[in-house]
Amino acid sequence: MPDSTLVTAVPAACSPSRAARELGLKRAEFDLAVHLGRIRTVADEGGGGGRRVEQVEIDRLRTQYGFPSTLRDHVRLVGTADGAALMGIPAGRFTRLARLGLLVPVRFYLNRYRTVVWLYLAEELQQFAAGAGNARLLKGRTPETLRGQLATGVDLRARNWRGRHFGFLMRQAGSPWARAAAVAAFLAPTEVAAVVRDLHERALLERLRPAPPAHGAPGSSFAHLAEHLMTAQDQDEVGWLRAELAQAIQEARAQAPVASPPVRLAEAAEPTAGNEHAAGPAPASPGAARDSGSARRGRAAAHAEAPPNPAAQRRPRDTRPALHRPARGLRAWLSRANSRSGGAVPRHKARNRPSCTTETSSRPRKS
């Protein structure tokens, strides 16, 4: 019998990166599977604010028939060209069907030309093409009602994507205020302020508000376009979201009301300098005004009768000793030479002496 036995502990829940490796998926495929509800996640109990995957959920997915190819087929994405080829229709007809809202995109990205590229689930496109009632939309002439909508410029791709993303955020929300923040994420700040009047509640919604899908650096044109796609544009969509936000706020207030920060008594009792200046002096009674006026006249008369004091008006003389700095450089050399020669500095005659700086110096002639 061995002295010690090593037992590898299986974690109850793992991070999304590790779960993606164990399921044989890329991280983008794993996130899409979570988005679609194919993989169930739980909140991080460690307080990190993220999501984790339980080991029981990983084991359930592994025991499914055809794993892992079936799981990859559920999250396979295609663009317009591949989707049209998959359905056996031209790309132009595919785009028209998507604009009419018959094909719902699940993701998007921005190419280098700043054009939105929509992505669709291959599984849903195959199901749409296999439907018996959709055969007249795939071949032949487009119905007159649909052609009229296309002529008016209808494009429901962004709105359908927002509806799909709305359901995903509501499934991930774990508290009443988080659900309200998920609704507010699809409204403009002015629309949110019109529904939620309280400043503290709006601050909480802003803190819990989910960010739009990351596209480019924050503040870039790509990020602004992604935020624009996430914000509701049509009036009927805005009205529906405002009603949903009002209902979510009422439920959140009933379950977990937001407490306003307490006001300190010391700050409320002591006025600031600006408030005192703005408020001005307190009004006084007529008797107090007469007493103060007579007192001022008495002080002015006493000041006029008092003789001036010349000593008080003169500025006191500075008695601090002056600081003497020792001479340096040329001044010090001249001082030492002056002291050695008894006060007279010897003058040097430069006539008939060679110069150390030029070559045209005059030299004495030999006679």
Side-chain angles (χ1 to χ4, degrees), residues 2-353:
D3 297 336
S4 60
T5 303
L6 297 178
V7 179
T8 303
V10 179
C14 59
S15 63
S17 300
R18 178 173 178 177
R21 290 194 302 268
E22 293 188 6
L23 294 175
L25 299 175
K26 299 178 181 179
R27 182 56 191 269
E29 296 175 342
F30 175 84
D31 293 339
L32 181 59
V34 174
H35 185 109
L36 299 174
R38 298 286 182 179
I39 301 176
R40 294 189 293 263
T41 60
V42 295
D44 188 3
E45 298 180 356
R51 310 289 297 182
R52 299 180 70 84
V53 183
E54 295 182 342
Q55 187 65 34
V56 178
E57 178 68 10
I58 296 177
D59 296 340
R60 181 188 70 84
L61 294 172
R62 282 178 170 177
T63 56
Q64 289 182 352
Y65 176 78
F67 176 84
S69 59
T70 54
L71 185 58
R72 290 200 190 98
D73 292 340
H74 290 324
V75 295
R76 180 190 170 197
L77 297 179
V78 293
T80 299
D82 294 338
L86 187 63
M87 298 176 64
I89 58 176
R93 182 181 290 269
F94 182 93
T95 303
R96 290 193 294 270
L97 293 177
R99 288 177 54 190
L100 291 169
L102 301 176
L103 304 177
V104 182
V106 68
R107 275 190 177 177
F108 70 92
Y109 70 91
L110 307 177
N111 59 12
R112 59 180 179 176
Y113 304 107
R114 299 184 181 180
T115 304
V116 181
V117 179
W118 298 100
L119 300 177
Y120 306 83
L121 286 173
E123 185 179 22
E124 292 183 354
L125 298 182
Q126 291 174 349
Q127 294 175 0
F128 184 88
N134 299 327
R136 61 186 183 91
L137 298 176
L138 302 179
K139 295 181 180 180
R141 188 176 179 85
T142 306
E144 185 66 26
T145 56
L146 299 181
R147 282 191 283 114
Q149 295 180 15
L150 292 173
T152 59
V154 65
D155 192 350
L156 301 177
R157 288 175 291 184
R159 181 170 180 172
N160 288 340
W161 173 83
R162 284 192 295 267
R164 196 163 210 164
H165 195 62
F166 176 83
F168 165 70
L169 293 181
M170 294 299 289
R171 288 194 301 269
Q172 294 293 318
S175 64
W177 285 106
R179 288 191 292 271
V183 181
F186 297 91
L187 289 171
T190 55
E191 301 291 345
V192 177
V195 177
V196 186
R197 300 287 184 176
D198 189 84
L199 295 176
H200 306 291
E201 292 178 349
R202 289 209 304 269
L204 180 59
L205 291 178
E206 186 65 25
R207 189 168 68 250
L208 299 176
R209 179 173 181 158
H215 289 278
S220 62
S221 58
F222 296 93
H224 288 308
L225 183 55
E227 186 176 357
H228 174 74
L229 291 176
M230 193 168 178
T231 305
Q233 306 296 331
D234 301 333
Q235 293 299 326
D236 56 342
E237 184 184 6
V238 172
W240 179 80
L241 288 172
R242 289 184 58 167
E244 289 291 326
L245 179 60
Q247 182 179 358
I249 289 294
Q250 291 180 359
E251 295 177 357
R253 288 171 181 169
Q255 299 182 22
V258 177
S260 302
V263 180
R264 296 187 218 176
L265 298 179
E267 294 180 357
E270 297 179 1
T272 59
N275 294 338
E276 291 179 358
H277 180 71
S285 60
R290 287 193 297 271
D291 295 342
S292 61
S294 59
R296 286 195 298 270
R297 287 193 295 272
R299 288 194 298 269
H303 180 71
E305 294 174 0
N309 188 4
Q313 296 180 358
R314 289 197 300 268
R315 183 178 295 179
R317 182 178 298 176
D318 191 2
T319 58
R320 293 178 298 178
L323 298 177
H324 298 282
R325 292 185 177 180
R328 298 180 181 179
L330 181 60
R331 184 178 299 178
W333 181 82
L334 292 175
S335 300
R336 291 194 298 271
N338 191 12
S339 61
R340 288 195 300 268
S341 60
V345 180
R347 296 183 179 180
H348 301 277
K349 295 182 180 181
R351 187 171 54 182
N352 297 334
R353 292 178 178 271

